[in-house]
Amino acid sequence: MSEFVKVIIEGKTYEFPVIIGTEGEKAFDISQLRKLTGYITHDPGFGSTGCCTSAITFMDGEKGILRYRGIPVDQLAEHSTFVETAYLLINGHLPNHEQLTNMRVLLNDSSMVHEDMKIFYQNFPRNTHPMGILSAMVNALKSFYPAYDNTEEEVTKMTLNLISKIRTMSAMSYRMSRGHMVIYPRPDYSYCANFLNMMFDNPVKPYKLDEDLVKALNVFWILHADHEQNCSTTAVRVVGSGKANLYAAISAGIAALWGPLHGGANQAVIEMLTNIQQSGYSIPQVIEKAKDKSDDFRLMGFGHRVYKTYDPRAKIMKKMCDAVLGKLKKKDPLLDTAKKLEEVALTDSYFIEKNLYPNVDFYSGIVLRAMGIPLNMFTVMFAIGRLPGWIAQWQEGVEDPNGKICRPRQIYTGAGLTNYVPLEER
Ligand code: SDX
């Protein structure tokens, strides 16, 4: 039986249909609101606005639940690989052995980057942020690997190019920013092992793969692989709604992810922890600064639009910090600072009342530091992980038979009708 909500506007009653999700989430469909009532809604930041129905990722922010195609992220982190999880997100089911092998072969075949793309890297200033390079180079893929439409065959080609080449292009920006030679992908290395090798191999000091680090990188990217309608995914969907090509949509997603309130937070957390250490501020002083409205300092890596409890990814990431540092027999004083900050914050009424908990970015940087990833590459690492989710969400949007171009309305608050005043009269 269909459900409806009744809304009374200026004395007249209107009924709007209710949409109920798999897990019981409810929305009322207001797509006809303006046509029927002349009213629009106002919801800056879209905190109460659903832009779509989606079958890809389920999050319950109150319970701290995250599932990709129904599978809990902690099960995928324990049992899956990033390539298998990418297949799951994009195809809607786990691959069988043949499908997984086929995907691995196709990713290997797509892993090289056109040699002429190097010229772009050579001409970026050496201190260019790798997120800016990545967004530009992903957009350039359209020129080097033309896709003429969004047919299944073309989308498959773009998908393989993106998932495979994003590693190669990311490692290239790191290598060339340091004047080092580019390391090519290897057919005998797995997806994650290849990335680490392309980053760190050296002809005079060959990079020795550590299977524990390869496993940790798989988990890191699985945890980042999708997160329903976050800022950058919304950017990808919006660009896709105009029927731009997948490369352009992903380039927009990378740009949106770069912000410190979003994917750039993992870099900002390490900068914050480092500043705390260097400033000599005590933990209680830092917590007070984060609570002080007159101070623009925020506890980076804390808080979330959806999670009002511990981010399930942060729990896994926190355990991974100890595991990776322990394996490498390393210590990171920033981890101790992060743990102390969490301990004090989670007992403070300000954080408790506002439901502010560690999010995925609070501990992820510690794991990346342990792997030897440079700080300015942290958000690139987030982008590589999020790519399969962006592709799955873009595909779901462009394949929606009821899909429309995303074009929100507004309430105008500017000047009323104003006549032009000639220059000599001003
Ligand atoms: C990601 O959306 C996703 O799913 C994103 C992501 C993904 O996987 O795609 O999970 C990845 O982006 C994680 C978030 C990374 N960003 C940070 O860690 C930056 C620090 N966090 C905040 O800037 C903030 O919590 C946001 C941006 C994450 C969420 O912002 P909201 O939902 O708009 O919340 P808000 O800014 O309205 O804050 C509500 C209250 C405010 O106080 P009041 O105005 O009610 O008095 O909580 C306060 C805020 O001042 N607050 C914080 C805080 N975060 C919120 N106070 C201190 N430190 C913080 N970190």
Side-chain angles (χ1 to χ4, degrees):
M1 184 200 53
S2 303
E3 276 191 43
F4 290 86
V5 288
K6 289 186 191 300
V7 177
I8 299 171
I9 297 176
E10 295 174 6
K12 192 175 173 193
T13 301
Y14 300 88
E15 284 194 346
F16 295 99
V18 170
I19 301 170
I20 303 176
T22 307
E23 299 296 332
E25 327 95 278
K26 290 186 177 181
F28 48 94
D29 180 342
I30 57 162
S31 50
Q32 299 306 306
L33 176 70
R34 189 174 187 278
K35 190 175 166 189
L36 293 172
T37 71
Y39 278 66
I40 62 170
T41 59
H42 181 241
D43 181 17
F46 309 135
S48 298
T49 295
C51 67
C52 61
T53 57
S54 177
I56 299 168
T57 291
F58 172 69
M59 286 170 66
D60 181 319
E62 283 67 35
K63 296 176 186 162
I65 293 173
L66 175 59
R67 299 179 196 147
Y68 298 157
R69 300 289 186 180
I71 302 177
V73 73
D74 54 309
Q75 291 184 25
L76 292 165
E78 187 178 347
H79 303 297
S80 188
T81 63
F82 177 60
V83 167
E84 183 180 73
T85 297
Y87 184 102
L88 168 70
L89 284 166
I90 293 168
N91 296 283
H93 62 86
L94 287 168
N96 60 31
H97 191 274
E98 183 190 350
Q99 289 162 331
L100 186 57
T101 304
N102 185 44
M103 182 169 183
R104 285 190 175 127
V105 168
L106 292 173
L107 287 174
N108 175 67
D109 296 350
S110 308
S111 51
M112 294 293 282
V113 165
H114 196 296
E115 288 291 312
D116 290 354
M117 292 183 89
K118 280 186 188 170
I119 298 164
F120 290 90
Y121 284 88
Q122 285 157 357
N123 290 286
F124 280 112
R126 286 291 164 103
N127 63 350
T128 303
H129 196 288
M131 281 294 276
I133 295 174
L134 187 62
S135 182
M137 299 317 289
V138 162
N139 230 334
L141 286 174
K142 179 76 170 64
S143 307
F144 288 95
Y145 303 91
Y148 299 101
D149 51 31
N150 287 338
T151 57
E152 189 176 341
E153 186 188 356
E154 293 293 276
V155 170
T156 300
K157 267 194 313 190
M158 289 190 278
T159 295
L160 292 167
N161 278 334
L162 281 161
I163 293 179
S164 194
K165 292 177 182 8
I166 195 169
R167 293 172 295 173
T168 317
M169 295 192 294
S170 300
M172 275 172 73
S173 65
Y174 171 64
R175 302 285 297 193
M176 297 184 81
S177 70
R178 282 157 177 72
H180 294 171
M181 62 184 281
V182 169
I183 299 293
Y184 286 100
R186 294 176 46 154
D188 58 331
Y189 276 10
S190 69
Y191 186 92
C192 293
N194 244 318
F195 174 77
L196 291 170
N197 193 59
M198 287 191 280
M199 284 284 288
F200 303 121
D201 194 29
N202 181 321
V204 295
K205 193 178 177 189
Y207 178 68
K208 192 173 173 312
L209 279 181
D210 178 328
E211 282 313 315
D212 288 320
L213 283 195
V214 173
K215 169 66 180 161
L217 185 52
N218 270 288
V219 174
F220 182 93
W221 278 336
I222 287 169
L223 295 178
H224 286 82
D226 194 50
H227 218 231
E228 55 133 284
Q229 307 311 315
N230 57 83
C231 174
S232 52
T233 297
T234 300
V236 169
R237 275 185 175 258
V238 168
V239 171
S241 76
K243 302 298 181 206
N245 67 81
L246 177 56
Y247 295 132
I250 299 303
S251 176
I254 294 166
L257 186 71
W258 196 355
L261 294 188
H262 190 18
N266 57 15
Q267 176 174 339
V269 166
I270 296 300
E271 289 163 346
M272 172 188 75
L273 295 173
T274 306
N275 292 340
I276 289 169
Q277 283 213 326
Q278 290 168 353
S279 67
Y281 274 118
S282 69
I283 298 293
Q285 284 172 317
V286 172
I287 296 294
E288 287 312 308
K289 273 176 69 66
K291 293 157 59 176
D292 179 357
K293 290 298 173 208
S294 64
D295 190 327
D296 60 10
F297 174 77
R298 278 200 161 185
L299 203 52
M300 300 312 278
F302 254 74
H304 199 276
R305 172 62 57 79
V306 175
Y307 290 127
K308 299 309 169 191
T309 184
Y310 216 105
D311 183 332
R313 304 167 296 175
K315 284 182 185 168
I316 300 169
M317 206 65 88
K318 183 178 179 182
K319 285 190 196 129
M320 220 154 70
C321 290
D322 293 323
V324 170
L325 288 168
K327 164 72 174 98
L328 297 172
K329 297 183 179 49
K330 281 184 182 175
K331 278 211 160 299
D332 187 343
L334 296 188
L335 177 58
D336 302 331
T337 304
K339 286 182 175 177
K340 283 192 197 109
L341 269 175
E342 175 190 337
E343 188 186 333
V344 175
L346 296 190
T347 56
D348 183 288
S349 58
Y350 173 94
F351 289 83
I352 295 167
E353 283 156 21
K354 295 179 189 299
N355 298 307
L356 302 175
Y357 291 83
N359 59 50
V360 68
D361 295 306
F362 192 62
Y363 289 105
S364 61
I366 306 285
V367 175
L368 295 175
R369 272 161 60 96
M371 289 181 189
I373 305 291
L375 182 59
N376 72 353
M377 289 280 289
F378 282 14
T379 310
V380 167
M381 297 299 284
F382 193 142
I384 297 172
R386 185 51 54 88
L387 179 58
W390 282 333
I391 293 171
Q393 299 275 354
W394 174 88
Q395 198 160 274
E396 187 175 68
V398 299
E399 289 176 355
D400 179 353
N402 304 312
K404 291 179 180 296
I405 189 168
C406 293
R407 203 276 183 220
R409 304 303 293 262
Q410 63 163 28
I411 294 295
Y412 175 69
T413 56
L417 176 61
T418 306
N419 294 317
Y420 180 79
V421 178
L423 182 57
E424 57 277 7
E425 293 175 23
R426 286 180 225 154

